[in-house]
Amino acid sequence: MSRARVARRIATAAAYGGGGISLLGGAAVGLLLTEARYARRQVVDGAGSDEPPVADGVYGTAFAPSNGVPWRLAILGDSTAAGLGVDQARQTPGALLASGLAAVSERPVELHSVALSGARSHDLERQVSLLLTEPGRAPVPDVSVVMIGANDITGRVSPAQSVRHLSDAVSRLRTAGCQVVVGTCPDLGSVEPVGQPLRWVARRLCRQLAAAQTIAVVELGGRTVSLGTLLGPEFAAYPRELFGPDRYHPSAAGYATAAMAVLPTLCAALGVWPEERRPGLPRRERLLPVDRAAARAVLEGGTEVSSAERGNRRAPWALLKRHRRRALPQEAPEGVREPGGASETASRARGTGRSRQASP
């Protein structure tokens, strides 16, 4: 069965309350659970006890005199969204995205993060409620970035349940007037302690969930960015530089790589990303049925999928867009070098709550 068909079945099961599908037979489950427990024990033993830095605040204040009303940016999801594994607030995904959005739009950005370490998709209900109904909270965010899914994979949550919780959260945010960008499930096959055959299975499960997430989000009017293959090969090739001390969560350079992939889509959701103007679709854009676009997106990191119209018909058509990746505005960590001496991280990254658990 093709990845597009499997993703569509998961999304349909999520929409209509089904249980989803199982990709593994009973004979494989025992072996995989044994390997999973071993990998998780290695991760836990190597993890620290610090919580993610608190990055909430206003970024780009230098732009305040000319554009005084800040964008309101919310971050939801698990510890990857919260920035677990780095020491400074400015190194978290939220701070990186807020700073990038402020620079591109020349307008301040007010950041609120409700992401929680260890969160699974069902926790999105609580996180959305914090943003929309908590007394004293700022008005509805202009845009929300959601990163979720890895803990659903390791926690053996059915893909249909995972996608259903995400869909509910996106629907509530969109109804409230908030733009939504979802960084789809990352590639757990790149985590260093995970060995074969669990590595192969983890990669397959993550891609299936990411594709199903894309279908659900796009059909609700949101946008997705594929993180799996962006993080997979690069993190596998440079684990000491792009993973943090626990060998599970990204380092500062790893978070920067992911944030630079999400930034163009975040800016585009607010209409502030400079787009190429040419007749028809640019070479790096394709109009496809949403399930096919979702299946293709998981094969190339940084790929954006958004709803599109074809004639007088909206979704299930989607626009698949591969943003050009530009150099990071910072030096790469020491030791990540190309043969010619150039920064490997810079050359590859071409684009600009809080409980402590050893899981994203």
Side-chain angles (χ1 to χ4, degrees), residues 254-349:
Y255 280 125
T257 300
M260 293 309 111
V262 174
L263 181 61
T265 302
L266 170 63
C267 294
L270 295 172
V272 297
W273 185 254
E275 301 285 355
E276 295 183 14
R277 301 299 180 187
R278 63 177 70 178
L281 291 177
R283 287 188 306 168
R284 297 175 67 84
E285 298 184 6
R286 295 192 64 181
L287 191 64
L288 295 169
V290 66
D291 51 354
R292 288 179 55 195
R296 287 178 179 266
V298 300
L299 299 178
E300 183 174 344
T303 302
E304 173 189 327
V305 182
S306 59
S307 60
E309 295 183 1
R310 182 171 182 175
N312 294 324
R313 299 181 61 187
R314 195 175 168 84
W317 290 92
L319 182 64
L320 184 145
K321 183 182 300 185
R322 297 177 176 90
H323 289 286
R324 287 184 173 89
R325 300 168 64 193
R326 303 171 186 172
L328 283 168
Q330 62 185 51
E331 294 184 359
E334 184 177 356
V336 190
R337 303 292 176 189
E338 290 181 322
S343 163
E344 177 73 277
T345 299
S347 68
R348 287 176 176 267

Coordinates of all heavy atoms in Angstrom, one line a residue, residues 254-349:
G254 N 21.1 22.2 16.2 CA 20.0 21.4 15.7 C 18.7 22.1 15.7 O 17.9 22.1 14.8
Y255 N 18.4 22.9 16.8 CA 17.2 23.7 16.8 C 17.2 24.8 15.8 O 16.2 25.1 15.2 CB 17.0 24.3 18.2 CG 16.4 23.3 19.3 CD1 17.1 23.1 20.5 CD2 15.2 22.7 19.0 CE1 16.6 22.2 21.4 CE2 14.7 21.8 20.0 CZ 15.4 21.6 21.2 OH 14.9 20.7 22.1
A256 N 18.4 25.3 15.6 CA 18.5 26.4 14.5 C 18.2 25.8 13.1 O 17.6 26.4 12.3 CB 19.9 27.0 14.6
T257 N 18.7 24.6 12.9 CA 18.4 23.9 11.6 C 16.9 23.8 11.4 O 16.4 24.1 10.3 CB 19.1 22.6 11.5 OG1 20.5 22.8 11.7 CG2 18.9 21.9 10.2
A258 N 16.2 23.3 12.4 CA 14.8 23.1 12.3 C 14.0 24.4 12.2 O 13.1 24.6 11.4 CB 14.3 22.3 13.5
A259 N 14.4 25.4 13.0 CA 13.8 26.7 13.0 C 13.9 27.4 11.6 O 12.9 28.0 11.1 CB 14.3 27.6 14.1
M260 N 15.1 27.3 11.0 CA 15.3 27.9 9.7 C 14.4 27.2 8.6 O 14.1 27.9 7.6 CB 16.7 27.9 9.3 CG 17.6 28.7 10.2 SD 17.1 30.5 10.4 CE 16.6 30.4 12.1
A261 N 14.1 26.0 8.8 CA 13.2 25.3 7.9 C 11.7 25.8 8.1 O 11.0 25.9 7.1 CB 13.2 23.8 8.1
V262 N 11.3 26.1 9.3 CA 9.9 26.5 9.6 C 9.7 28.0 9.3 O 8.6 28.4 8.9 CB 9.6 26.2 11.0 CG1 8.2 26.7 11.4 CG2 9.6 24.7 11.3
L263 N 10.7 28.8 9.4 CA 10.6 30.2 9.3 C 9.9 30.7 8.0 O 9.0 31.6 8.1 CB 11.9 30.9 9.5 CG 11.9 32.5 9.4 CD1 11.0 33.0 10.5 CD2 13.3 33.1 9.5
P264 N 10.3 30.2 6.8 CA 9.6 30.7 5.6 C 8.1 30.5 5.6 O 7.3 31.3 5.2 CB 10.3 29.9 4.5 CG 11.6 29.6 5.0 CD 11.4 29.3 6.5
T265 N 7.7 29.3 6.1 CA 6.3 29.0 6.2 C 5.6 29.8 7.2 O 4.4 30.3 7.0 CB 6.1 27.5 6.5 OG1 6.7 26.7 5.4 CG2 4.6 27.1 6.5
L266 N 6.2 30.1 8.3 CA 5.7 31.0 9.4 C 5.4 32.3 8.8 O 4.3 32.9 9.0 CB 6.6 31.0 10.6 CG 6.3 32.0 11.6 CD1 5.0 31.8 12.3 CD2 7.5 32.1 12.7
C267 N 6.4 32.9 8.1 CA 6.3 34.2 7.5 C 5.2 34.2 6.4 O 4.5 35.2 6.3 CB 7.6 34.7 7.0 SG 8.9 35.0 8.3
A268 N 5.2 33.2 5.6 CA 4.2 33.1 4.5 C 2.8 33.1 5.1 O 1.9 33.6 4.5 CB 4.5 31.9 3.6
A269 N 2.6 32.4 6.2 CA 1.2 32.4 6.8 C 0.7 33.7 7.2 O -0.5 34.0 7.2 CB 1.3 31.5 8.0
L270 N 1.6 34.7 7.4 CA 1.3 36.0 7.8 C 1.4 37.0 6.6 O 1.2 38.2 6.7 CB 2.1 36.5 9.0 CG 1.9 35.8 10.3 CD1 2.9 36.3 11.3 CD2 0.5 36.0 10.8
G271 N 1.8 36.5 5.4 CA 1.9 37.3 4.2 C 3.1 38.2 4.2 O 3.1 39.2 3.5
V272 N 4.2 37.8 4.9 CA 5.4 38.7 5.0 C 6.6 38.1 4.4 O 7.7 38.7 4.4 CB 5.7 39.2 6.4 CG1 4.5 40.0 7.0 CG2 6.0 38.0 7.3
W273 N 6.5 36.8 3.8 CA 7.7 36.2 3.2 C 7.8 36.7 1.8 O 6.9 36.6 1.0 CB 7.6 34.7 3.3 CG 8.8 34.0 2.8 CD1 9.0 33.3 1.6 CD2 10.1 33.9 3.5 NE1 10.3 32.8 1.5 CE2 11.0 33.1 2.7 CE3 10.5 34.3 4.7 CZ2 12.3 32.9 3.1 CZ3 11.8 34.1 5.1 CH2 12.7 33.3 4.3
P274 N 9.0 37.2 1.4 CA 9.1 37.6 0.0 C 9.1 36.5 -1.0 O 10.0 35.6 -1.0 CB 10.5 38.3 0.0 CG 11.3 37.7 1.1 CD 10.2 37.4 2.2
E275 N 8.1 36.4 -1.8 CA 7.9 35.3 -2.8 C 8.4 35.8 -4.2 O 8.4 36.9 -4.5 CB 6.4 34.9 -2.9 CG 5.8 34.5 -1.6 CD 6.3 33.1 -1.2 OE1 7.0 32.4 -2.0 OE2 5.9 32.7 -0.1
E276 N 8.8 34.8 -4.9 CA 9.2 35.0 -6.3 C 7.9 35.3 -7.1 O 6.9 34.6 -7.0 CB 9.9 33.8 -6.9 CG 11.3 33.5 -6.3 CD 12.0 32.4 -6.9 OE1 11.6 32.0 -8.0 OE2 12.9 31.9 -6.3
R277 N 8.0 36.3 -8.0 CA 6.8 36.7 -8.8 C 7.1 36.2 -10.2 O 8.0 36.8 -10.9 CB 6.6 38.2 -8.7 CG 6.3 38.7 -7.3 CD 5.1 38.0 -6.7 NE 4.8 38.5 -5.4 CZ 3.9 38.0 -4.6 NH1 3.1 37.0 -5.0 NH2 3.7 38.5 -3.4
R278 N 6.4 35.2 -10.7 CA 6.6 34.8 -12.1 C 5.3 34.1 -12.5 O 4.5 33.6 -11.7 CB 7.7 33.8 -12.2 CG 7.6 32.5 -11.5 CD 8.7 31.6 -11.7 NE 9.9 32.0 -11.1 CZ 11.1 31.3 -11.2 NH1 11.1 30.2 -11.9 NH2 12.2 31.8 -10.6
P279 N 5.0 34.1 -13.8 CA 3.8 33.5 -14.3 C 3.7 32.0 -14.0 O 4.8 31.3 -14.1 CB 3.8 33.7 -15.8 CG 4.7 34.9 -16.0 CD 5.7 34.8 -14.9
G280 N 2.6 31.5 -13.6 CA 2.4 30.1 -13.3 C 3.1 29.7 -12.0 O 3.5 30.6 -11.2
L281 N 3.3 28.4 -11.7 CA 4.0 28.0 -10.5 C 5.5 27.9 -10.7 O 6.0 27.5 -11.7 CB 3.5 26.5 -10.2 CG 2.1 26.4 -9.7 CD1 1.8 24.9 -9.5 CD2 1.8 27.2 -8.5
P282 N 6.3 28.5 -9.7 CA 7.7 28.3 -9.8 C 8.1 26.8 -9.9 O 7.3 26.0 -9.5 CB 8.2 29.0 -8.5 CG 7.1 29.9 -8.1 CD 5.8 29.2 -8.6
R283 N 9.4 26.6 -10.3 CA 9.8 25.2 -10.4 C 9.7 24.4 -9.2 O 9.6 23.2 -9.2 CB 11.3 25.2 -10.9 CG 11.4 25.6 -12.4 CD 12.8 25.4 -12.8 NE 13.8 26.0 -12.0 CZ 15.1 25.8 -12.0 NH1 15.6 24.9 -12.8 NH2 15.9 26.4 -11.2
R284 N 9.9 25.1 -8.0 CA 9.9 24.3 -6.7 C 8.5 24.2 -6.1 O 8.4 23.9 -4.9 CB 10.9 25.0 -5.8 CG 12.3 25.0 -6.3 CD 13.2 25.8 -5.4 NE 13.4 25.2 -4.1 CZ 14.2 24.2 -3.8 NH1 15.0 23.7 -4.7 NH2 14.3 23.7 -2.6
E285 N 7.5 24.5 -6.9 CA 6.1 24.3 -6.4 C 5.3 23.4 -7.3 O 5.5 23.3 -8.5 CB 5.4 25.7 -6.4 CG 6.1 26.7 -5.4 CD 5.3 28.0 -5.4 OE1 4.2 28.1 -5.9 OE2 5.8 29.0 -4.7
R286 N 4.4 22.6 -6.6 CA 3.6 21.7 -7.4 C 2.2 21.7 -6.8 O 2.0 21.8 -5.6 CB 4.2 20.3 -7.4 CG 5.5 20.1 -8.1 CD 5.8 18.7 -8.3 NE 4.9 18.0 -9.1 CZ 5.0 16.7 -9.5 NH1 5.9 15.9 -9.0 NH2 4.1 16.2 -10.3
L287 N 1.2 21.6 -7.6 CA -0.2 21.5 -7.2 C -0.6 20.0 -7.3 O -0.5 19.4 -8.4 CB -1.1 22.4 -8.1 CG -2.5 22.6 -7.6 CD1 -2.5 23.3 -6.2 CD2 -3.3 23.3 -8.6
L288 N -0.9 19.4 -6.2 CA -1.2 18.0 -6.1 C -2.4 17.7 -5.3 O -2.7 18.5 -4.4 CB 0.0 17.2 -5.6 CG 1.3 17.2 -6.3 CD1 2.4 16.6 -5.5 CD2 1.2 16.4 -7.6
P289 N -3.1 16.5 -5.4 CA -4.0 16.1 -4.4 C -3.4 16.1 -3.1 O -2.2 15.7 -2.9 CB -4.4 14.7 -4.9 CG -4.2 14.7 -6.4 CD -3.0 15.6 -6.5
V290 N -4.1 16.4 -2.0 CA -3.4 16.6 -0.7 C -2.8 15.4 -0.2 O -1.7 15.4 0.4 CB -4.5 17.2 0.3 CG1 -5.5 16.1 0.6 CG2 -3.8 17.6 1.6
D291 N -3.3 14.2 -0.4 CA -2.7 13.0 0.1 C -1.3 12.7 -0.6 O -0.4 12.3 0.0 CB -3.6 11.8 0.0 CG -4.2 11.6 -1.4 OD1 -4.0 12.4 -2.2 OD2 -4.9 10.5 -1.5
R292 N -1.3 13.0 -2.0 CA 0.0 12.8 -2.7 C 1.0 13.9 -2.3 O 2.2 13.6 -2.1 CB -0.3 12.9 -4.2 CG -1.0 11.7 -4.7 CD -1.2 11.8 -6.2 NE 0.0 12.1 -7.0 CZ 0.1 12.5 -8.2 NH1 -1.0 12.8 -8.9 NH2 1.3 12.7 -8.8
A293 N 0.5 15.1 -2.0 CA 1.5 16.1 -1.6 C 2.0 15.8 -0.2 O 3.2 16.0 0.1 CB 0.7 17.5 -1.5
A294 N 1.2 15.2 0.7 CA 1.6 14.8 2.0 C 2.7 13.7 1.9 O 3.7 13.7 2.6 CB 0.5 14.3 2.8
A295 N 2.5 12.7 1.0 CA 3.4 11.6 0.9 C 4.8 12.1 0.3 O 5.8 11.6 0.7 CB 2.8 10.5 0.0
R296 N 4.7 13.1 -0.6 CA 6.0 13.6 -1.1 C 6.7 14.5 -0.1 O 7.9 14.5 -0.1 CB 5.7 14.4 -2.4 CG 5.3 13.5 -3.6 CD 5.0 14.4 -4.8 NE 4.6 13.6 -6.0 CZ 5.5 13.2 -6.9 NH1 6.8 13.6 -6.8 NH2 5.1 12.5 -7.9
A297 N 6.0 15.2 0.7 CA 6.6 16.2 1.6 C 7.5 15.5 2.6 O 8.6 16.0 2.9 CB 5.5 17.0 2.3
V298 N 7.1 14.3 3.1 CA 7.9 13.6 4.1 C 9.3 13.2 3.5 O 10.1 12.8 4.3 CB 7.2 12.5 4.7 CG1 5.9 12.9 5.4 CG2 6.9 11.4 3.7
L299 N 9.4 13.2 2.2 CA 10.7 12.7 1.6 C 11.7 13.8 1.5 O 12.9 13.5 1.2 CB 10.4 12.1 0.2 CG 9.5 10.9 0.2 CD1 9.2 10.4 -1.2 CD2 10.0 9.7 1.1
E300 N 11.4 15.0 1.8 CA 12.3 16.1 1.7 C 12.1 17.1 2.8 O 11.0 17.8 2.8 CB 12.3 16.8 0.3 CG 13.3 17.9 0.2 CD 13.3 18.5 -1.2 OE1 12.8 17.9 -2.2 OE2 13.9 19.6 -1.4
G301 N 13.0 17.3 3.7 CA 12.8 18.1 4.8 C 12.7 19.6 4.4 O 13.3 20.0 3.4
G302 N 11.9 20.3 5.1 CA 11.7 21.7 4.9 C 10.6 22.0 3.8 O 10.3 23.1 3.5
T303 N 9.9 20.9 3.4 CA 8.9 21.1 2.4 C 7.6 21.6 3.0 O 7.1 21.0 4.0 CB 8.6 19.8 1.6 OG1 9.8 19.3 1.0 CG2 7.5 20.0 0.6
E304 N 7.0 22.6 2.5 CA 5.8 23.2 3.0 C 4.6 22.6 2.2 O 4.7 22.5 0.9 CB 5.8 24.7 2.8 CG 4.5 25.4 3.1 CD 4.5 26.9 2.8 OE1 5.5 27.5 2.9 OE2 3.4 27.4 2.4
V305 N 3.5 22.3 2.8 CA 2.2 22.0 2.2 C 1.1 22.9 2.7 O 1.0 23.0 3.9 CB 1.9 20.5 2.4 CG1 0.6 20.1 1.7 CG2 3.0 19.6 2.0
S306 N 0.4 23.5 1.8 CA -0.7 24.3 2.2 C -1.9 24.1 1.3 O -1.8 23.5 0.2 CB -0.3 25.8 2.1 OG 0.1 26.1 0.8
S307 N -3.1 24.4 1.7 CA -4.3 24.2 0.9 C -4.3 25.1 -0.3 O -3.7 26.2 -0.3 CB -5.6 24.5 1.8 OG -5.6 25.8 2.2
A308 N -4.9 24.7 -1.4 CA -4.9 25.4 -2.6 C -6.2 25.2 -3.4 O -6.9 24.3 -3.1 CB -3.7 24.9 -3.5
E309 N -6.4 26.1 -4.3 CA -7.6 26.0 -5.1 C -7.2 25.5 -6.5 O -6.1 25.9 -7.0 CB -8.3 27.3 -5.2 CG -8.9 27.8 -3.9 CD -9.6 29.1 -4.0 OE1 -9.7 29.6 -5.1 OE2 -10.1 29.6 -3.0
R310 N -8.0 24.7 -7.1 CA -7.9 24.4 -8.5 C -9.2 24.6 -9.2 O -10.2 23.9 -9.0 CB -7.4 22.9 -8.7 CG -7.2 22.5 -10.1 CD -6.6 21.1 -10.2 NE -6.3 20.8 -11.6 CZ -5.7 19.7 -12.0 NH1 -5.2 18.8 -11.1 NH2 -5.5 19.4 -13.2
G311 N -9.2 25.6 -10.0 CA -10.5 26.1 -10.6 C -11.3 26.6 -9.5 O -10.9 27.5 -8.7
N312 N -12.5 26.1 -9.3 CA -13.4 26.5 -8.2 C -13.4 25.6 -7.0 O -14.2 25.7 -6.1 CB -14.8 26.7 -8.7 CG -14.9 27.8 -9.8 OD1 -14.3 28.8 -9.6 ND2 -15.8 27.6 -10.8
R313 N -12.4 24.7 -7.1 CA -12.3 23.6 -6.0 C -11.2 23.9 -5.1 O -10.1 24.2 -5.5 CB -12.2 22.2 -6.6 CG -13.4 21.9 -7.5 CD -13.1 20.5 -8.1 NE -13.1 19.5 -7.0 CZ -12.7 18.2 -7.2 NH1 -12.5 17.8 -8.4 NH2 -12.7 17.4 -6.2
R314 N -11.4 23.9 -3.8 CA -10.4 24.0 -2.8 C -9.9 22.6 -2.4 O -9.9 21.8 -3.3 CB -11.0 24.8 -1.5 CG -9.9 25.3 -0.6 CD -10.5 26.1 0.5 NE -9.6 26.4 1.6 CZ -8.7 27.4 1.6 NH1 -8.7 28.2 0.5 NH2 -7.9 27.6 2.6
A315 N -9.4 22.4 -1.2 CA -8.9 21.1 -0.8 C -9.9 20.1 -1.2 O -11.1 20.4 -1.1 CB -8.7 21.1 0.7
P316 N -9.6 18.9 -1.6 CA -8.3 18.2 -1.3 C -7.1 18.5 -2.2 O -6.2 17.7 -2.2 CB -8.7 16.7 -1.4 CG -9.7 16.7 -2.5 CD -10.5 18.0 -2.3
W317 N -7.0 19.6 -2.9 CA -5.8 20.0 -3.6 C -4.9 20.8 -2.6 O -5.4 21.5 -1.7 CB -6.2 20.8 -4.8 CG -6.8 20.0 -5.9 CD1 -8.2 19.9 -6.0 CD2 -6.2 19.2 -6.8 NE1 -8.4 19.0 -7.1 CE2 -7.2 18.6 -7.6 CE3 -4.8 19.0 -7.1 CZ2 -6.9 17.8 -8.7 CZ3 -4.5 18.1 -8.2 CH2 -5.6 17.5 -8.9
A318 N -3.6 20.6 -2.8 CA -2.6 21.2 -2.0 C -1.5 21.7 -2.8 O -1.1 21.2 -3.9 CB -2.1 20.2 -0.9
L319 N -0.8 22.8 -2.3 CA 0.4 23.3 -2.9 C 1.6 22.8 -2.2 O 1.7 23.1 -1.0 CB 0.3 24.9 -2.9 CG 1.5 25.6 -3.6 CD1 1.5 25.3 -5.1 CD2 1.4 27.1 -3.3
L320 N 2.5 22.1 -2.8 CA 3.7 21.6 -2.2 C 4.8 22.5 -2.7 O 5.0 22.8 -3.9 CB 3.9 20.2 -2.7 CG 5.1 19.5 -2.1 CD1 4.8 18.0 -1.9 CD2 6.4 19.6 -3.0
K321 N 5.5 23.1 -1.7 CA 6.5 24.1 -2.0 C 7.8 23.8 -1.3 O 7.8 23.5 -0.1 CB 6.0 25.5 -1.5 CG 6.9 26.6 -1.8 CD 6.4 28.0 -1.3 CE 5.0 28.3 -1.9 NZ 4.5 29.6 -1.4
R322 N 8.9 23.8 -2.0 CA 10.2 23.5 -1.5 C 11.0 24.9 -1.4 O 11.4 25.4 -2.4 CB 11.0 22.5 -2.3 CG 10.3 21.1 -2.3 CD 11.1 20.2 -3.2 NE 10.5 18.8 -3.1 CZ 9.6 18.4 -3.9 NH1 9.1 19.2 -4.9 NH2 9.1 17.1 -3.8
H323 N 11.1 25.4 -0.2 CA 11.7 26.7 -0.1 C 13.2 26.6 -0.3 O 13.8 25.6 0.2 CB 11.5 27.3 1.3 CG 10.1 27.8 1.5 ND1 9.6 28.9 0.9 CD2 9.0 27.2 2.2 CE1 8.3 29.1 1.3 NE2 8.0 28.1 2.0
R324 N 13.9 27.5 -0.9 CA 15.3 27.6 -1.0 C 15.9 27.8 0.4 O 15.4 28.7 1.1 CB 15.8 28.6 -2.0 CG 15.5 28.3 -3.4 CD 16.1 29.3 -4.4 NE 15.9 28.9 -5.7 CZ 14.9 29.1 -6.5 NH1 13.8 29.8 -6.0 NH2 14.8 28.7 -7.7
R325 N 16.9 27.1 0.7 CA 17.5 27.2 2.0 C 18.7 28.0 2.0 O 19.7 27.8 1.2 CB 17.8 25.8 2.6 CG 16.5 24.9 2.7 CD 16.9 23.5 3.0 NE 17.5 23.3 4.3 CZ 18.2 22.2 4.6 NH1 18.2 21.2 3.8 NH2 18.7 22.1 5.8
R326 N 18.8 29.1 2.8 CA 19.9 30.0 2.8 C 20.7 29.8 4.0 O 20.4 29.1 4.9 CB 19.3 31.5 2.7 CG 18.4 31.7 1.5 CD 17.7 33.0 1.6 NE 16.7 33.1 0.5 CZ 15.9 34.1 0.4 NH1 15.9 35.1 1.3 NH2 15.0 34.2 -0.6
A327 N 21.9 30.5 4.0 CA 22.9 30.3 5.0 C 22.3 30.8 6.4 O 21.6 31.8 6.5 CB 24.1 31.1 4.7
L328 N 22.6 30.1 7.4 CA 22.3 30.5 8.8 C 23.0 31.8 9.1 O 24.2 31.9 8.8 CB 22.6 29.4 9.8 CG 21.7 28.2 9.9 CD1 22.4 27.1 10.7 CD2 20.4 28.6 10.5
P329 N 22.4 32.7 9.9 CA 23.1 33.9 10.2 C 23.9 33.7 11.5 O 23.9 34.5 12.4 CB 21.9 34.9 10.5 CG 20.8 34.0 11.0 CD 21.0 32.7 10.2
Q330 N 24.7 32.6 11.5 CA 25.5 32.4 12.7 C 26.5 31.4 12.3 O 26.3 30.6 11.3 CB 24.7 31.9 13.9 CG 24.0 30.6 13.6 CD 23.2 30.2 14.8 OE1 22.4 30.9 15.3 NE2 23.3 29.0 15.3
E331 N 27.6 31.3 13.0 CA 28.7 30.3 12.7 C 28.3 29.0 13.1 O 27.5 28.8 14.1 CB 30.0 30.7 13.4 CG 30.6 32.0 12.8 CD 31.9 32.3 13.5 OE1 32.4 31.5 14.3 OE2 32.5 33.4 13.1
A332 N 28.7 27.9 12.4 CA 28.4 26.6 12.8 C 29.2 26.2 14.0 O 30.3 26.8 14.2 CB 28.7 25.6 11.6
P333 N 28.8 25.1 14.7 CA 29.6 24.7 15.9 C 30.9 24.1 15.4 O 31.0 23.6 14.3 CB 28.7 23.6 16.5 CG 27.8 23.2 15.4 CD 27.6 24.4 14.5
E334 N 31.9 24.2 16.2 CA 33.2 23.7 15.9 C 33.1 22.2 15.6 O 32.5 21.5 16.3 CB 34.2 24.0 17.1 CG 35.6 23.6 16.7 CD 36.5 24.0 17.9 OE1 36.1 24.6 18.8 OE2 37.7 23.6 17.8
G335 N 33.8 21.8 14.6 CA 33.9 20.4 14.3 C 32.9 20.0 13.2 O 33.0 18.8 12.7
V336 N 32.0 20.9 12.8 CA 31.1 20.5 11.6 C 31.7 21.2 10.4 O 31.4 22.3 10.1 CB 29.7 21.0 11.9 CG1 28.7 20.4 10.9 CG2 29.3 20.6 13.3
R337 N 32.6 20.6 9.7 CA 33.3 21.2 8.6 C 33.2 20.4 7.3 O 33.2 19.2 7.4 CB 34.8 21.4 9.0 CG 35.0 22.2 10.2 CD 34.6 23.7 10.0 NE 34.7 24.4 11.3 CZ 34.2 25.6 11.4 NH1 33.6 26.2 10.4 NH2 34.3 26.3 12.6
E338 N 33.2 21.1 6.2 CA 33.3 20.4 4.9 C 34.8 20.3 4.6 O 35.6 20.9 5.2 CB 32.6 21.3 3.8 CG 31.1 21.3 3.9 CD 30.5 22.1 2.9 OE1 31.0 23.2 2.5 OE2 29.4 21.7 2.4
P339 N 35.1 19.4 3.6 CA 36.5 19.2 3.3 C 37.2 20.5 3.0 O 38.4 20.6 3.3 CB 36.4 18.2 2.1 CG 35.2 17.5 2.3 CD 34.2 18.5 2.9
G340 N 36.6 21.4 2.3 CA 37.2 22.6 2.0 C 37.3 23.7 3.1 O 37.8 24.8 2.9
G341 N 36.8 23.3 4.3 CA 36.9 24.2 5.4 C 35.6 25.0 5.6 O 35.5 25.7 6.6
A342 N 34.6 24.9 4.7 CA 33.4 25.7 4.9 C 32.5 25.0 6.0 O 32.7 23.9 6.3 CB 32.6 25.8 3.6
S343 N 31.6 25.8 6.5 CA 30.7 25.2 7.6 C 29.7 24.3 7.0 O 28.9 24.7 6.1 CB 30.0 26.4 8.3 OG 28.9 25.9 9.0
E344 N 29.7 23.0 7.5 CA 28.7 22.1 7.0 C 27.3 22.5 7.4 O 26.4 22.3 6.6 CB 29.1 20.7 7.6 CG 28.1 19.6 7.2 CD 28.3 19.2 5.7 OE1 27.7 19.8 4.9 OE2 28.9 18.2 5.5
T345 N 27.2 22.9 8.6 CA 25.8 23.3 9.1 C 25.3 24.5 8.2 O 24.2 24.5 7.8 CB 25.8 23.7 10.5 OG1 26.3 22.6 11.3 CG2 24.5 24.1 11.0
A346 N 26.1 25.5 8.0 CA 25.7 26.6 7.2 C 25.3 26.2 5.7 O 24.4 26.7 5.2 CB 26.7 27.7 7.2
S347 N 26.2 25.3 5.2 CA 25.9 24.9 3.8 C 24.7 24.1 3.6 O 24.0 24.1 2.6 CB 27.1 24.2 3.2 OG 27.2 22.9 3.9
R348 N 24.3 23.3 4.6 CA 23.2 22.5 4.6 C 21.9 23.2 5.0 O 20.8 22.9 4.5 CB 23.3 21.3 5.5 CG 24.3 20.2 4.9 CD 24.5 19.1 6.0 NE 25.4 18.1 5.4 CZ 25.0 17.0 4.8 NH1 23.7 16.8 4.5 NH2 25.8 16.1 4.3
A349 N 22.0 24.2 5.9 CA 20.8 24.9 6.4 C 20.6 26.2 5.6 O 20.9 27.2 6.1 CB 20.9 25.2 7.8

